[in-house]
């Protein structure tokens, strides 16, 4: 975890360095997420929006760092079909992605990327309704064994035409989000988005 914060600090220093050339991109997209525990998987719809700055290191090679807000949601039956449940999770992600730009022509380029993404859950809860009764459980309450912090390995590619970006890829959660000895909980999912480079 200390290494992750050190990386974030390094990128933050790059943001304020006046002599580093950088391109800023704003973006939004779709990012469903699966919570996997053993042979059981719970699938959530996911959406995100954020910005990134791509710092050129050398010809064609760069590192993109930024921040994004992400929301996971799931609705459906609860308690074996009795009543309904809705779960919501809000997160802040900090991706740090190394990339290599391949120019096809003057306006079109393809940029594969790979790197870590630090993630912090701001909130998570499940609301369950049976008849006129509604209860809310906090994922990160005092007695919870769920961890807010996660670290992903991310890879994918960005297709840029002029200032417009179409990108997609996959993220793989590396940490066990449940502190119980006999339970593991990890996340993964693909993502696709649209961006505009300023």
């Amino acid at each position: 975890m200390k290494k992750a914060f050190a990386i974030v600090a390094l990128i933050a220093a790059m943001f304020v360095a006046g002599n580093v050339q950088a391109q800023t991109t704003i973006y939004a997209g779709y990012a469903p997420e699966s919570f996997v525990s053993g042979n059981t998987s719970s699938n959530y719809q996911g959406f995100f929006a954020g910005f990134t700055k791509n710092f050129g290191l050398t010809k064609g090679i760069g590192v993109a760092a930024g921040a994004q807000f992400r929301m996971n949601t799931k609705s459906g039956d609860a308690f074996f079909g009795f009543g309904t449940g809705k779960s919501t999770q809000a997160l802040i992600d900090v991706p740090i992605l190394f990339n290599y730009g391949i120019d096809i022509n003057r306006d079109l380029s393809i940029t594969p990327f790979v790197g870590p993404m630090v993630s912090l859950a701001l909130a998570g809860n499940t609301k369950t309704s049976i008849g006129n009764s509604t209860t809310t459980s906090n994922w990160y309450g005092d007695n919870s064994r769920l961890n807010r912090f996660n670290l992903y390995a991310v890879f994918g590619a960005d297709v840029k035409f002029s200032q417009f970006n179409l990108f997609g890829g996959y993220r793989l959660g590396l940490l066990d989000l449940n502190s119980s000895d006999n339970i593991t909980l990890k996340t993964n999912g693909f993502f696709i988005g649209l961006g505009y480079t300023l």
Side-chain angles (χ1 to χ4, degrees), residues 64-149:
Q68 66 184 27
F69 176 79
R70 185 160 51 97
M71 179 77 73
N72 290 324
T73 62
K74 180 181 180 182
S75 299
D77 294 338
F79 293 107
F80 303 100
F82 296 100
T84 58
K86 181 175 182 180
S87 297
T88 305
Q89 184 189 34
L91 309 102
I92 292 291
D93 301 323
V94 179
I96 303 168
L97 304 175
F98 295 91
N99 55 81
Y100 180 72
I102 304 168
D103 292 331
I104 305 301
N105 57 38
R106 180 176 169 181
D107 295 319
L108 179 65
S109 65
I110 299 174
T111 305
F113 55 80
V114 63
M117 183 173 77
V118 179
S119 184
L120 179 67
L122 302 176
N125 62 70
T126 299
K127 292 183 179 179
T128 304
S129 299
I130 300 177
N132 294 326
S133 175
T134 300
T135 59
T136 301
S137 61
N138 182 0
W139 291 11
Y140 307 106
D142 293 337
N143 298 320
S144 173
R145 293 188 172 272
L146 293 180
N147 298 320
R148 293 177 182 267
F149 180 79

Side-chain angles (χ1 to χ4, degrees), residues 1-12 96 118 120 149 151:
M1 191 152 106
K2 289 182 180 179
K3 288 183 180 179
F5 285 120
I7 293 172
V8 172
L10 174 63
I11 298 302
I96 303 168
V118 179
L120 179 67
F149 180 79
L151 179 65

